[in-house]
Amino acid sequence: MTVRIGFLGAGLIATYHGKSLRRSGADHVIAAVHDPDEARCAAFGAASGATPMATEEAVLDAVDAVYVCTWTSEHPRLVAAAAARGLPVFCEKPLATTLAGAREMTEAVEAAGVVNQVGLVLRSSPSFLELAHQLADPRNGRVQAVVLRDDQFLPVQGMYGSTWRGDVSRAGAGTMLEHSIHDVDVLEWLVGPISSVSARSSGFHGLPGIEDTVVAGLGFASGAQGSLTSVWHQLLERPSLRRLEVICERAFLALEHDVVGPVTWTRPDGDSGSISGEALMAGVADRHGGRLPNQDRAFVEAVAAGRPGPDPDLRTALRAHQVVDAVYRSAAQGGAAVAVGGPG
Ligand SMILES: NC(=O)c1ccc[n+]([C@@H]2O[C@H](COP(=O)([O-])OP(=O)(O)OC[C@H]3O[C@@H](n4cnc5c(N)ncnc54)[C@H](O)[C@@H]3O)[C@@H](O)[C@H]2O)c1
């Protein structure tokens, strides 16, 4: 079955998915696109072969599955519209500007029984997959602590050039929700559930409701402790970069750069090393049937097969929203410890 894909939103991330779909080899056609920005809509159509449509409904009428790639505040309404028609949906993160909105969307896609997936990309990023592989080595012992620093330039400029990320009504909040929702998701994926947070935040750039500096202490249910530093700065020379350190009972692991590494490890008895670039990607591909995981391929294949969407789905993203919400509640109380409930 050739899956007819529609896009709502034709900006940066829609363009990324369009290219990734082309590379994926999945049996699909990008059939339709709508974006109220007509120039963007036309450019996306020219690049992808999609027919530009004047309305959201025209896209939903013409396709088998839809990507929701608008700014965040539009996600809930569009996901609900897709679910109401029984259409599989790939929604970008964050799901919504509020936890309640994210929960409603999750319930809507689950009630409709549609394939659903979310663009929490770090779970399929080669560096994180390599780190997960290293972390699974039983010689490591238990994880005691994690340190994750995530910084990028304030994304109302540069390659993002998006005014909406400076507008709380469309973005919901700043660096924690818009960007570091990826971080809490990948930390729980690697280390297990976070059971409490204690966070402080500030804003240096005068955008109301858009915090740009967050430091969160994370308590994991396993007893591990973590810290997450999430910053939007003004250094345009420095793109989005992460450094993750994982300290286990008998291992020290570190990751830089989401895609190409290096990932390094130190274990007893001289077992230390580093892997990056082509070698890192070849190793990851070897462990995944000879090719790098691709979220877009996984989505199209799930739609074609009519089977439940692959993780991360909306339920998984809702969990990340729960942790992010706890971080904001803690920061609002000056860093008080806030319990993070179980998933749901
Ligand atoms: N997974 C990731 O790593 C990642 C990376 C970047 C962005 N994102 C997420 O993707 C979403 C879009 O971000 P972006 O960088 O592509 O923004 P962008 O500004 O480049 O594009 C958003 C587009 O949505 C359009 N739009 C707004 N309302 C619409 C509607 N009702 N119907 C159709 N189009 C509509 C806008 O006109 C704009 O062109 C955000 O939620 C963002 O958080 C995820």
Side-chain angles (χ1 to χ4, degrees), residues 7-17 33-38 40-41 55-56 68-75 77-78 90-96 118-122 155 159-165 170-171 177-179 181-182 242 258 295:
F7 274 83
L8 297 173
L12 180 80
I13 201 67
T15 302
Y16 166 87
H17 286 298
V33 58
H34 169 70
D35 192 311
D37 181 327
E38 287 178 12
R40 278 191 167 184
C41 196
T55 63
E56 298 156 0
V68 174
C69 294
T70 64
W71 48 66
T72 306
S73 58
E74 289 289 282
H75 294 177
R77 187 174 63 76
L78 297 175
F90 187 116
C91 182
E92 264 308 333
K93 49 50 61 181
L95 295 180
V118 180
L120 288 166
V121 285
L122 295 186
M159 63 172 268
Y160 299 96
S162 59
T163 51
W164 66 265
R165 285 185 176 86
R170 287 182 287 170
L177 177 66
E178 164 52 25
H179 188 56
I181 193 164
H182 284 298
R242 294 181 170 89
D258 301 353
Q295 269 208 293

Side-chain angles (χ1 to χ4, degrees), residues 122-269:
L122 295 186
R123 290 173 182 236
S124 49
S125 292
S127 295
F128 282 92
L129 287 165
E130 176 64 31
L131 187 94
H133 171 66
Q134 294 291 340
L135 194 52
D137 190 319
R139 293 173 299 167
N140 298 339
R142 293 169 294 180
V143 174
Q144 291 182 237
V146 291
V147 180
L148 176 51
R149 185 225 66 229
D150 180 352
D151 71 287
Q152 66 174 175
F153 58 76
L154 193 69
V156 295
Q157 56 197 329
M159 63 172 268
Y160 299 96
S162 59
T163 51
W164 66 265
R165 285 185 176 86
D167 171 4
V168 70
S169 70
R170 287 182 287 170
T175 185
M176 191 67 213
L177 177 66
E178 164 52 25
H179 188 56
S180 283
I181 193 164
H182 284 298
D183 299 325
V184 297
D185 174 63
V186 84
L187 285 176
E188 286 208 316
W189 179 63
L190 289 168
V191 182
I194 293 168
S195 52
S196 73
V197 300
S198 173
R200 291 177 184 272
S201 79
S202 27
F204 282 75
H205 299 114
L207 296 168
I210 306 292
E211 88 289 351
D212 51 42
T213 308
V214 178
V215 176
L218 310 171
F220 290 85
S222 64
Q225 303 294 337
S227 72
L228 168 62
T229 297
S230 177
V231 179
W232 279 348
H233 48 68
Q234 292 285 5
L235 185 61
L236 281 169
E237 288 76 5
R238 195 173 155 83
S240 178
L241 288 171
R242 294 181 170 89
R243 178 176 169 82
L244 173 61
E245 298 176 345
V246 183
I247 305 160
C248 306
E249 290 174 288
R250 289 178 297 282
F252 180 89
L253 310 172
L255 167 157
E256 307 234 22
H257 198 286
D258 301 353
V259 180
V260 294
V263 171
T264 60
W265 59 91
T266 307
R267 298 193 185 90
D269 305 320

